[in-house]
Amino acid sequence: MAISEPASNTRRAFDLDLPRRLVRLLDGASARHGRASLLLVAVALLAFLPGFFQLSPIDRDEARFAQATKQMLESGNYVDIRFHTQARHKKPVGIYWLQAATVRAGEAVIGPSALYSIWLYRLPSLFAAIGAVLLTYWTALAFVTRRGALLAGLMMAGCVLLGVEARLAKTDAVLLFTIIASFGALARAYMRPATERAGDLKLAAIFWTGLAAGILIKGPMAPLFVGLPILALAIVERSGGFLKPLKPLMGLAWCALLVLPWFVAIYFVTNGAFYQHAVGVDMLGKVAEGAEGHWGPPGTYFLAAWGTFWPSVVLVAMAAPFAWRARREEKVRFLLCWLVPTWLVFEIAVTKLPHYVLPLYPALAILTALAVERGAMAKAGSRLAGLVWIWPVLAIVLSLGLGAAYLWFGSGFGLAAWPLLALAIVLLWSAARAFPRVGVEGAFLTALVGTLVLFFAIYQVMLPQMRALWISERLAQVARDEGCPAEKIASFPYQEPSLVFLVGTKINYILPDAAAVLLKQGGCSLAFIDTRFHTWFETKATEIGLKYHAVATLSGFTYNGGRQVAITVYRSDEAAP
């Protein structure tokens, strides 16, 4: 008893001391807007930067966006959007312009290699994700105190899904930023008394500029996210008078002025083909059927949120009874109208991807912060209080799964990762243990620290070292070592977008017999041929008398196809013409 008691006291002191220190930090940071913003930026950087520079281009969406931007820079055509040899008529031009701007700035610093540096294409997503955290804080100030707004911002900073999007060179983090800006202005307009709803140029500029930017980023998705809540509020209020501060007529004209030039230009450049594909195939097709295999039944987003909005989702579940009881209150009504109609639309739509509902997560964070501020969260001993144990349980499951994946796909045992995973589990376990004594804020902040450690272990240490996953990066390294230009390189059947980005736009995605003909032309030329198709390549090579040799055989795992592959790199021995 004398031996175990001090150990127990030490553990109890750790469980309580860290949460209390974190609560004091929250109190201090909420004293001023500057301090609160600084803390949010610091936590966001700790959450988003691990792996940002190290991770190879991710197939398929990120690599497609980045490659399309690269082709804009190479061609000088900033209106039409193309990927490799095909038109890319899916999303508007906004994200490509943002990426092109950061790459051009990068070229001025690091030179031509900027075109192939994926982290430069990711910068708009990183900046937008940090901005989204700050805008969540700003929007929340219309509903809660500075302390509550800071808590809402921290929930978004620790959000798993936002952390993923911050590291990807695609649209969703930027769309989130534009949507929250519009909702921050809309909330302030809505909360005004009916007698004070005169036009407000500042709020109107924020709302309509945010909407226009969202349209240029992801087309009709921005009006959907903003329009459905406005419609719901108008139905509930039986009036649209709350829109008066936003100057609807002037605002619509300003929005049209910002978005129409490119939309008109792309119509004439593509002879209407952009709209036929973007609206008729990409958007409407996703509503009617599971596009690209991304199908899910109603309820998919509800279940996914337990992982994608982790660790904050535990607090959201605890706040649910409050949201129902207070549903008629003005503030809660606004947040529910922001959240519920759009969520239901996405649950009904056939195509489902986790990031589709990301712009609804700030409403969850603010609603939860409001419940915390009202003292309406689950108390120790209640049924919902047991949800805090999801934190350590999920961390343990995730760590075991990642550990197994690392042993399978990585190089070596990965000693650096295991202590970090263990520390994350200890912190999340401590958060659950501390909840009855320190309350929801101290427990959540401790869980957030554990989550940041987990992010570092996964993104900075484990994923970059899983070499079997990064096939394109390894093939591109062989191409650089051999010194062959992209137009003299062929690949079959491995034709991921990341290979185009890393090797070069002019890489040839052709059949094995055509690859043999390419090598026959002589000079420095390569063929990446899956071992399953060696016979096809070798038969044609023999037929045309090709002289060649194998440079290397690379084994890996295609995370899109979900299978093991082995690719042999052949080099021509033919003399240059």
Side-chain angles (χ1 to χ4, degrees), residues 224-447:
L224 174 69
F225 278 111
V226 176
L228 279 179
I230 289 176
L231 178 61
L233 287 169
I235 292 172
V236 171
E237 299 287 337
R238 298 181 182 179
S239 170
F242 57 87
L243 291 174
K244 287 182 181 178
L246 302 180
K247 296 180 172 288
L249 293 179
M250 182 186 298
L252 280 170
W254 171 244
C255 184
L257 180 66
L258 293 176
V259 304
L260 281 181
W262 179 81
F263 280 99
V264 171
I266 195 64
Y267 176 83
F268 286 104
V269 167
T270 65
N271 197 26
F274 176 86
Y275 294 100
Q276 292 173 13
H277 193 278
V279 178
V281 178
D282 189 55
M283 186 182 75
L284 296 180
K286 289 178 179 178
V287 175
E289 58 185 32
E292 300 175 358
H294 301 303
W295 174 88
T300 296
Y301 289 113
F302 171 78
L303 295 175
W306 290 92
T308 56
F309 200 33
W310 191 80
S312 303
V313 67
V314 171
L315 273 62
V316 173
M318 291 181 177
F322 160 78
W324 175 253
R325 291 193 304 268
R327 63 189 181 278
R328 291 184 175 85
E329 292 185 19
E330 183 183 51
K331 293 179 178 180
V332 177
R333 185 166 63 243
F334 180 92
L335 293 169
L336 290 177
C337 286
W338 177 353
L339 174 67
V340 175
T342 313
W343 192 291
L344 291 176
V345 167
F346 280 108
E347 290 285 16
I348 293 169
V350 178
T351 299
K352 290 185 171 63
L353 284 169
H355 59 262
Y356 285 176
V357 295
L358 180 59
L360 306 180
Y361 284 3
L364 291 174
I366 297 170
L367 186 59
T368 302
L370 183 60
V372 172
E373 195 162 89
R374 298 277 187 87
M377 298 295 285
K379 301 296 188 293
S382 69
R383 292 181 179 179
L384 291 177
L387 291 173
V388 295
W389 289 101
I390 291 176
W391 287 331
V393 169
L394 191 57
I396 291 170
V397 172
L398 183 63
S399 297
L400 290 175
L402 284 168
Y406 186 85
L407 291 175
W408 187 262
F409 301 121
S411 52
F413 193 66
L415 293 177
W418 297 103
L420 291 169
L421 293 176
L423 176 59
I425 292 170
V426 168
L427 286 165
L428 289 159
W429 192 276
S430 299
R433 281 175 53 88
F435 174 71
R437 301 180 187 87
V438 301
V440 66
E441 290 175 326
F444 168 72
L445 294 173
T446 307

Side-chain angles (χ1 to χ4, degrees), residues 426-482:
V426 168
L427 286 165
L428 289 159
W429 192 276
S430 299
R433 281 175 53 88
F435 174 71
R437 301 180 187 87
V438 301
V440 66
E441 290 175 326
F444 168 72
L445 294 173
T446 307
L448 179 60
V449 174
T451 299
L452 295 178
V453 174
L454 195 59
F455 287 166
F456 188 86
I458 295 170
Y459 292 114
Q460 186 72 26
V461 179
M462 302 184 77
L463 284 178
Q465 296 181 26
M466 294 184 185
R467 300 293 296 162
L469 299 177
W470 313 124
I471 299 171
S472 294
E473 183 180 291
R474 294 156 65 201
L475 289 172
Q477 184 60 53
V478 173
R480 286 192 293 271
D481 292 343
E482 295 297 319

Side-chain angles (χ1 to χ4, degrees), residues 69-137:
T69 299
K70 181 152 72 80
Q71 289 182 220
M72 275 189 174
L73 293 166
E74 292 170 340
S75 67
N77 184 344
Y78 293 91
V79 176
D80 198 10
I81 306 165
R82 305 194 68 81
F83 169 78
H84 199 207
T85 59
Q86 303 170 342
R88 182 166 169 78
H89 296 157
K90 289 195 172 186
K91 302 293 186 293
V93 77
I95 191 64
Y96 304 102
W97 284 350
L98 291 174
Q99 291 177 0
T102 59
V103 175
R104 278 290 184 233
E107 281 185 309
V109 178
I110 65 176
S113 64
L115 271 179
Y116 296 87
S117 301
I118 188 63
W119 64 270
L120 286 169
Y121 297 81
R122 290 170 175 164
L123 284 178
S125 293
L126 175 65
F127 294 151
I130 296 171
V133 170
L134 293 173
L135 282 176
T136 299
Y137 168 77

